[in-house]
Amino acid sequence: MCLIITACTAAVFTLAFFVNKKSGGENKSIFMAMLMFWAASLMWSMDGVASVLEGEGFFDISIEDTVLGIIILASGLIVFMLHSVWQKRKAVSKKTA
């Protein structure tokens, strides 16, 4: 479930990034979150490959893995929000200086 949750979140942030870019904006927080979730998806994919090589299934649909995926999602969203606030404060301090 970690792979499914992070891949879906990465796709959402990718869509948000390209929509934002097409409208003329540049949001470093969205880009950072997009890369962060794609990197996590790649990591979980390699974990799935290792599981297959050990004779297990590619996807782990257990409740523990689902909880881990939700924790990863929440942590990534917290990092995204903190980075967004930091970027806004940085932009405001540049304007006042």
Side-chain angles (χ1 to χ4, degrees):
M1 274 313 266
C2 288
L3 174 60
I4 295 168
I5 292 170
T6 54
C8 289
T9 307
V12 168
F13 272 103
T14 301
L15 181 65
F17 173 73
F18 284 113
V19 167
N20 190 31
K21 189 173 182 177
K22 190 171 185 170
S23 67
E26 182 180 327
N27 191 329
K28 291 180 183 178
S29 298
I30 293 175
F31 182 70
M32 183 214 46
M34 178 186 73
L35 290 180
M36 184 173 57
F37 282 112
W38 277 122
S41 297
L42 179 63
M43 179 187 69
W44 296 122
S45 296
M46 292 300 103
D47 183 50
V49 169
S51 294
V52 168
L53 291 176
E54 293 174 357
E56 300 173 13
F58 185 78
F59 292 108
D60 182 6
I61 311 292
S62 66
I63 190 70
E64 292 88 8
D65 202 55
T66 303
V67 170
L68 179 60
I70 292 169
I71 290 170
I72 302 261
L73 173 65
S75 300
L77 292 176
I78 289 170
V79 169
F80 167 69
M81 288 187 289
L82 291 174
H83 192 266
S84 293
V85 169
W86 181 59
Q87 288 293 325
K88 289 195 187 298
R89 292 187 76 185
K90 189 175 169 182
V92 168
S93 66
K94 271 187 177 180
K95 288 182 181 179
T96 59

